[in-house]
Amino acid sequence: MRIPHSFLAAAALLAGGWALPHAPAAAQQARKGTILISQAWSRATAPRAQVGAGFLTIRNTDARPDRLLSASSPRAAKVEIHTMSMDGGVMRMRPLPDGLEIPARSVATLAPGGNHLMLIGLKAPLKQGDLVPATLRFARAGTIQVQLAVAAPGAPAPSGSGGHQ
């Protein structure tokens, strides 16, 4: 009997206890009015890390725009809304003090390499499998509670989130 090499390679990985980074499990959805939050996730941090990031998808089904004004989490001293952009060939990250507009009838994706939540002053490392509670405050929709599902360090964005790796 001949066993395919790919099967042997996969078996060796599993037997050795090695694991490839996995995309986070599908987190719950949260809705308030015309705002739907989905695919809320984060990545595990190093044991002494002071910062982490949060990613999610925001769908606005209203005919009017809304704005994500701020966020908070009991797992961090503060949460800021950040963006990343290229400046002279250097990737720069900066806070968005006025928040993030969610245009009417559109989807905004907070993903690695783009807009994201920055958890500053972590009270404990984010561990794979944790659920990190966060409160999002919108100009029109008000507050929405979400849970960021913590994936492995370096995990890719969930499929369909539009995020970068």
Side-chain angles (χ1 to χ4, degrees):
M1 179 169 147
R2 194 171 174 149
I3 300 173
H5 289 284
S6 60
F7 176 82
L8 292 174
L13 280 173
L14 291 173
W18 299 343
L20 299 174
H22 296 283
Q28 98 288 353
Q29 295 185 350
R31 174 185 290 275
K32 185 165 183 188
T34 58
I35 297 292
L36 173 67
I37 309 295
S38 62
Q39 298 183 332
W41 67 286
S42 183
R43 289 183 175 138
T45 60
R48 294 184 180 201
Q50 293 295 304
V51 296
F55 314 106
L56 48 95
T57 300
I58 305 169
R59 178 178 300 277
N60 179 9
T61 60
D62 198 356
R64 298 168 295 178
D66 204 336
R67 180 170 290 276
L68 175 61
L69 297 171
S70 65
S72 62
S73 172
R75 297 282 303 267
K78 67 179 178 176
V79 178
E80 294 179 348
I81 304 164
H82 282 196
T83 190
M84 295 183 76
S85 61
M86 291 300 287
D87 180 16
V90 176
M91 181 64 84
R92 305 246 184 232
M93 181 173 57
R94 63 182 174 83
L96 296 173
D98 297 326
L100 179 67
E101 180 175 295
I102 314 300
R105 295 188 173 112
S106 71
V107 175
T109 302
L110 283 67
N115 298 326
H116 60 277
L117 301 177
M118 181 61 73
L119 289 78
I120 301 169
L122 290 176
K123 297 176 180 172
L126 303 182
K127 296 179 181 173
Q128 184 175 356
D130 284 356
L131 290 175
V132 177
T135 301
L136 308 175
R137 189 168 65 89
F138 290 86
R140 298 181 66 77
T143 60
I144 301 176
Q145 306 289 323
V146 298
Q147 300 274 337
L148 304 170
V150 180
S159 63
S161 70
H164 304 283
Q165 303 311 311

